[in-house]
Amino acid sequence: MYGKLILRSARRSVQDYLIYLVTLTLCVGLFYAFLSISSRYYHPALGAEFDLSFLSEWMKLAICGVTLLLLFLIRYVNRYMIRQKQQEFAMQTILGMEQRTTAWLFFGETFLMGLLSLGLGIPLGSLLSQFITAMLLSSYGQSFQLSWALFPDTSALTLLFFSLSFFVVGLFNVRSIQKLHVIDMLQARRKNEDSLKKSRWMPVVTILYLAALAGIAAMNLWYASLYYDSRLPLLARIFYVSNAVLPLAGLAGSGLWCFKRRRFLPLLAFLLVQSLISLFFIALAPWMDRTYSLPISQESLRSYLLFFLVYLSFFLCTVMYLSSRLLSAWKDKSPAHKYTGENLFFYGQVLSKLRSASKSMTLISLTLVLSTVLFALSPALSGWAEGYLEERAIYDVQINSYYNNVLRQEDLPQDTYDFVPAFLEAQGIQITQDRVFSLYLPEASQFHNRNKYDFPVVAVALSDYNAIRQMLGYPPISLGAREFSTQWDAISTPEDQVAFLRNHPTLSTDAGTLSLAQDALHTESMGETFYNLYTHVTYVLPDQVCHQLLPVMTKRYLATAHPIPYADAAALQDAFSTHYPEQSLQDGPEYSLDTRTQQISDTKSQIFLFHAVMVYGAVVLMVICFTILSLQQLWDANQYRYRFGVLRKLGVEDRSIHHLISKQLALWFGLPVGLAVLISGAISAFFFWSIATEINAYLGFDALLSQVSALAGILLLLLLAYALSTWTLFRRAVSP
């Protein structure tokens, strides 16, 4: 009998569960798709030079960790269903059924819906896994062929994870239902959220914002004391002064308000204006850095980004809190508009809800900001890492020594690492090119310069430089007997290069003074180990000059006929670590060996893991937000059925009622989503502009724009799917 009751109740409530069922099916599908990479049955054709063990291990932990966010969604939807069914629970209790039995019947009903979503989600996940595999193969430079596979271990883990989640949330539901009183269940539909006047969340946000303003003011005063100069351009001086004065103005105005004990809303309006003006000046930081070459370090840019986030968050909270007031003022501004058609009904519907749901709407909008920022930044960060990998993994094998922990010149490393080519030949790996060379200090007196911001630029002999260029397919260069040239890394900007050459027309060395060659600027990719620590340039000097200089680093670059298998590369790395235990010491030379195989395989795994987790987390957060928005409107639809019925009795046509529903849903979806898109766009633009050099060097803005556009399309599709489904269910709920 209980089984029949559960099935009957589930069939009658299928409309209420539809959004939940679709959402959970999508989440189960995404969970299975991303987790399929960690299956022991997953063997994509990547070749012997790639290994997915790292990716498999961490993907499982990362995806399961992010999916724990769905517990909140499952719990929220179950609370929504409990609220929907409280009158039914009350009637069952009045008719004699024990409240404990009622609670367990609801547990069975929700668990059944969860199992149904699992049954639909796993096949969907198997289909979506093809897209994940295509992404993975594309990141490894391999071709993709469509194939169907259902991995038993991934299916079992998906069933276990979600079944356990349904069970745990179901137990909480049983406990919640048992604590309800019959009278409260009968009046559940009349209960509303706290009103705007009773809610204290905005005063708490304001206090936190004022505390943040104090810290922002202190930091900007410190920056102004360090970098402000009357010789700076006018706009740069305004930048430093405004960023220090505006937070102080916000604190002073708040102190005056406390002294006079005025109303809270004027204070909010004042702080809203202050945050908007502050946003404008903080947003100038990356532009100022590039236009006027201000001494703004990456650490300072990160601080400005943090200030930017504080101002934007307060702006969002304030606008959402005041939205009902702003809409009410718009309504009262034009009485003719207020009484036109069904506008009076629309304003009554919307304003009553805005006053009570501002906190929840703000939280939804902030969560959407987080998810949208994750969506926008993931291609930039992963593309940056991919491009940086191309700069690192140039040579099949590269061996390096470092002298930053060497205290005496006689302890400088001079080894030529002969055991490495012997090891490769023993494994049957053919070496096509091999070069051992040193990097020199132009002046031996620079040996003890170990300050991060004053690390000396090293030099390479012309013959070694040309040999490495030949290894990489670049034409050789020539120098006069008393000339020098420069080699720059990919991250250096043309402005930095030109400024350096302008300030260094000559070079003092222990072999005499050299002059800048006519062909003095080379930017071909030579790898990040070709430079000294914390520097972006290396001098190229004639061989006879380098013979008189102090060699501080010994390097060896090798090229092989074919890519080294991953197992052989790992064995070589282990042998090198055993051969050079000095690299673990703190007061001696350090050595490192990198193979192109390991660098590409491990880094691509990390990049793909990072990108996949960010995209998956963003989708999960968006799904949670859109589901909550949909359920809030469907709850209102059940409450407002009587009101729409009265409209019909007054002669309002169904077409006008449908237009009212569309306007109401457009506001409820458009307000949080619009603010989230606006704010996340500002955050992304600030971040992109602050790392524009890295994007130009490693990714390119065209490629970034295409990837961000694709992810924006996913956001738009999700929004349209939830908005249209909510609109359809809302219409059905208020239909006679």
Side-chain angles (χ1 to χ4, degrees):
M1 181 185 68
Y2 290 148
K4 291 181 179 180
L5 286 174
I6 291 173
L7 291 174
R8 186 184 68 177
S9 180
R11 285 196 300 267
R12 292 173 56 189
S13 305
V14 66
Q15 178 174 316
D16 296 328
Y17 280 111
L18 185 59
I19 292 291
Y20 172 63
L21 189 62
V22 172
T23 297
L24 209 54
T25 299
L26 177 62
C27 291
V28 170
L30 290 171
F31 180 86
Y32 178 94
F34 282 96
L35 206 62
S36 63
I37 296 176
S38 65
S39 172
R40 66 175 181 269
Y41 302 101
Y42 185 74
H43 302 294
L46 295 177
E49 65 269 24
F50 298 111
D51 182 79
L52 293 181
S53 57
F54 172 85
L55 180 61
S56 299
E57 293 173 3
W58 286 97
M59 181 67 81
K60 187 178 298 183
L61 294 175
I63 296 301
C64 290
V66 173
T67 311
L68 289 176
L69 293 172
L70 290 177
L71 290 176
F72 168 79
L73 176 62
I74 297 171
R75 176 63 174 159
Y76 181 88
V77 176
N78 279 266
R79 289 175 59 189
Y80 164 78
M81 293 306 303
I82 290 174
R83 195 175 180 186
Q84 285 281 78
K85 289 176 168 288
Q86 282 191 27
Q87 287 188 347
E88 181 180 333
F89 296 157
M91 295 303 299
Q92 291 173 345
T93 304
I94 292 172
L95 292 174
M97 182 180 290
E98 292 184 359
Q99 199 161 334
R100 181 178 180 181
T101 303
T102 301
W104 281 105
L105 287 175
F106 180 75
F107 172 86
E109 180 182 334
T110 54
F111 196 79
L112 177 64
M113 288 295 178
L115 293 179
L116 179 59
S117 66
L118 282 170
L120 298 173
I122 290 178
L124 175 64
S126 183
L127 177 62
L128 294 176
S129 65
Q130 302 304 305
F131 295 97
I132 307 302
T133 299
M135 290 172 53
L136 178 67
L137 292 175
S138 176
S139 65
Y140 281 88
Q142 306 294 324
S143 59
F144 168 72
Q145 291 182 350
L146 186 65
S147 62
W148 178 268
L150 191 65
F151 305 119
D153 54 347
T154 305
S155 301
L157 182 57
T158 304
L159 285 170
L160 177 63
F161 184 90
F162 281 95
S163 297
L164 184 61
S165 300
F166 299 149
F167 182 78
V168 171
V169 174
L171 292 181
F172 280 104
N173 293 336
V174 170
R175 184 181 178 186
S176 299
I177 294 173
Q178 288 179 349
K179 289 184 176 182
L180 293 174
H181 300 289
V182 175
I183 185 65
D184 294 331
M185 288 189 287
L186 289 173
Q187 298 180 351
R189 291 185 179 273
R190 300 179 181 178
K191 186 177 180 180
N192 206 348
E193 300 182 49
D194 293 336
S195 67
L196 181 67
K197 294 181 179 180
K198 294 182 180 179
S199 179
R200 297 180 179 178
W201 70 273
M202 194 61 207
V204 173
V205 169
T206 304
I207 292 173
L208 294 176
Y209 175 68
L210 293 175
L213 280 185
I216 293 173
M219 288 294 295
N220 280 295
L221 285 172
W222 183 55
Y223 288 150
S225 66
L226 290 176
Y227 305 125
Y228 180 84
D229 193 319
S230 59
R231 293 169 295 180
L232 289 172
L234 177 61
L235 192 57
R237 284 178 283 160
I238 293 175
F239 169 77
Y240 282 120
V241 172
S242 299
N243 286 326
V245 170
L246 286 171
L248 294 175
L251 293 172
S254 302
L256 181 63
W257 175 85
C258 291
F259 177 75
K260 293 190 174 182
R261 298 181 181 180
R262 298 284 182 89
R263 296 172 58 193
F264 182 57
L265 289 180
L267 173 64
L268 275 186
F270 168 74
L271 291 177
L272 179 63
V273 174
Q274 180 268 334
S275 66
L276 282 173
I277 300 175
S278 301
L279 277 171
F280 171 76
F281 285 102
I282 286 290
L284 293 176
W287 182 78
M288 286 285 182
D289 181 29
R290 298 188 178 282
T291 304
Y292 296 113
S293 299
L294 297 182
I296 301 177
S297 63
Q298 286 297 321
E299 292 80 4
S300 300
L301 280 177
R302 285 193 286 269
S303 298
Y304 285 128
L305 177 59
L306 179 61
F307 305 157
F308 197 65
L309 291 175
V310 170
Y311 290 133
L312 282 174
S313 299
F314 181 76
F315 170 77
L316 187 149
C317 294
T318 306
V319 169
M320 196 67 73
Y321 182 80
L322 297 176
S323 57
S324 62
R325 301 262 180 183
L326 297 174
L327 187 61
S328 180
W330 170 263
K331 178 193 70 172
D332 295 336
K333 184 179 179 180
S334 176
H337 171 74
K338 177 171 63 174
Y339 294 108
T340 301
E342 299 82 22
N343 286 344
L344 189 62
F345 179 85
F346 169 75
Y347 285 122
Q349 291 270 95
V350 171
L351 290 175
S352 63
K353 188 65 178 178
L354 273 178
R355 291 190 179 98
S356 60
S358 58
K359 181 172 69 174
S360 61
M361 295 287 283
T362 302
L363 292 175
I364 289 172
S365 191
L366 287 173
T367 307
L368 284 173
V369 168
L370 175 60
S371 62
T372 310
V373 167
L374 288 176
F375 252 137
L377 298 190
S378 60
L381 296 176
S382 59
W384 179 3
E386 287 274 4
Y388 182 54
L389 175 62
E390 295 299 323
E391 178 69 16
R392 293 174 54 206
I394 291 181
Y395 311 98
D396 291 314
V397 180
Q398 53 182 326
I399 311 164
N400 310 286
S401 67
Y402 303 94
Y403 74 96
N404 51 305
N405 288 331
V406 179
L407 303 180
R408 300 181 303 174
Q409 294 185 9
E410 53 267 26
D411 294 333
L412 286 169
Q414 301 294 334
D415 199 339
T416 56
Y417 324 107
D418 291 331
F419 89 96
V420 174
F423 181 94
L424 294 176
E425 292 172 356
Q427 302 300 320
I429 299 172
Q430 181 183 357
I431 299 174
T432 57
Q433 297 185 74
D434 184 1
R435 189 71 179 186
V436 182
F437 67 99
S438 296
L439 294 180
Y440 307 85
L441 287 178
E443 295 178 311
S445 59
Q446 299 174 324
F447 174 71
H448 293 288
N449 289 2
R450 306 296 168 86
N451 187 293
K452 176 179 179 180
Y453 302 101
D454 190 32
F455 231 74
V457 176
V458 292
V460 63
L462 178 63
S463 59
D464 294 327
Y465 181 66
N466 281 332
I468 297 169
R469 289 178 66 89
Q470 181 182 3
M471 182 184 297
L472 299 174
Y474 305 138
I477 70 168
S478 60
L479 286 175
R482 307 302 297 175
E483 292 181 337
F484 75 96
S485 185
T486 57
Q487 167 64 42
W488 292 83
D489 66 3
I491 199 174
S492 59
T493 63
E495 293 81 6
D496 293 337
Q497 297 164 6
V498 172
F500 183 88
L501 296 180
R502 184 173 59 248
N503 296 328
H504 297 80
T506 60
L507 175 64
S508 298
T509 71
D510 291 335
T513 301
L514 306 181
S515 300
L516 194 65
Q518 186 175 2
D519 184 18
L521 179 62
H522 302 281
T523 58
E524 296 87 353
S525 181
M526 307 286 283
E528 65 172 356
T529 60
F530 197 74
Y531 310 90
N532 204 358
L533 296 175
Y534 313 116
T535 63
H536 303 290
V537 61
T538 293
Y539 296 121
V540 183
L541 309 182
D543 287 25
Q544 62 271 23
V545 173
C546 288
H547 293 161
Q548 305 177 52
L549 305 183
L550 176 66
V552 290
M553 292 183 282
T554 304
K555 301 179 181 294
R556 189 165 191 165
Y557 296 162
L558 299 95
T560 59
H562 303 286
I564 302 174
Y566 190 89
D568 293 335
L572 176 60
Q573 184 70 60
D574 293 338
F576 185 86
S577 300
T578 303
H579 198 82
Y580 290 98
E582 295 91 348
Q583 60 185 330
S584 62
L585 299 178
Q586 298 297 320
D587 57 351
E590 297 181 9
Y591 303 92
S592 70
L593 179 143
D594 297 295
T595 61
R596 181 178 174 85
T597 294
Q598 276 191 312
Q599 282 183 303
I600 291 180
S601 180
D602 294 346
T603 305
K604 282 185 177 294
S605 294
Q606 295 170 10
I607 293 171
F608 184 82
L609 174 66
F610 175 79
H611 185 55
V613 171
M614 287 188 71
V615 171
Y616 179 72
V619 172
V620 167
L621 290 174
M622 286 183 184
V623 166
I624 290 174
C625 293
F626 291 154
T627 302
I628 293 174
L629 284 173
S630 297
L631 293 180
Q632 283 182 342
Q633 298 313 302
L634 294 178
W635 169 253
D636 291 343
N638 292 321
Q639 285 187 312
Y640 298 154
R641 185 182 315 209
Y642 172 77
R643 299 183 186 180
F644 283 100
V646 172
L647 281 182
R648 288 189 177 89
K649 293 179 181 179
L650 291 174
V652 178
E653 298 179 354
D654 286 343
R655 181 178 178 181
S656 299
I657 291 178
H658 294 165
H659 181 65
L660 274 174
I661 295 172
S662 300
K663 286 173 59 177
Q664 183 170 332
L665 293 183
L667 177 65
W668 288 114
F669 277 90
L671 182 60
V673 174
L675 282 174
V677 170
L678 176 65
I679 291 176
S680 59
I683 295 172
S684 301
F686 188 101
F687 181 77
F688 291 155
W689 191 247
S690 64
I691 61 168
T693 301
E694 289 79 4
I695 292 176
N696 283 324
Y698 298 130
L699 179 61
F701 275 98
D702 292 339
L704 174 63
L705 181 61
S706 63
Q707 296 184 45
V708 171
S709 299
L711 294 176
I714 296 176
L715 168 62
L716 183 60
L717 286 176
L718 282 174
L719 174 61
L720 290 176
Y722 275 91
L724 290 176
S725 59
T726 305
W727 183 77
T728 302
L729 293 175
F730 197 106
R731 282 181 54 190
R732 292 181 180 177
V734 300
S735 297

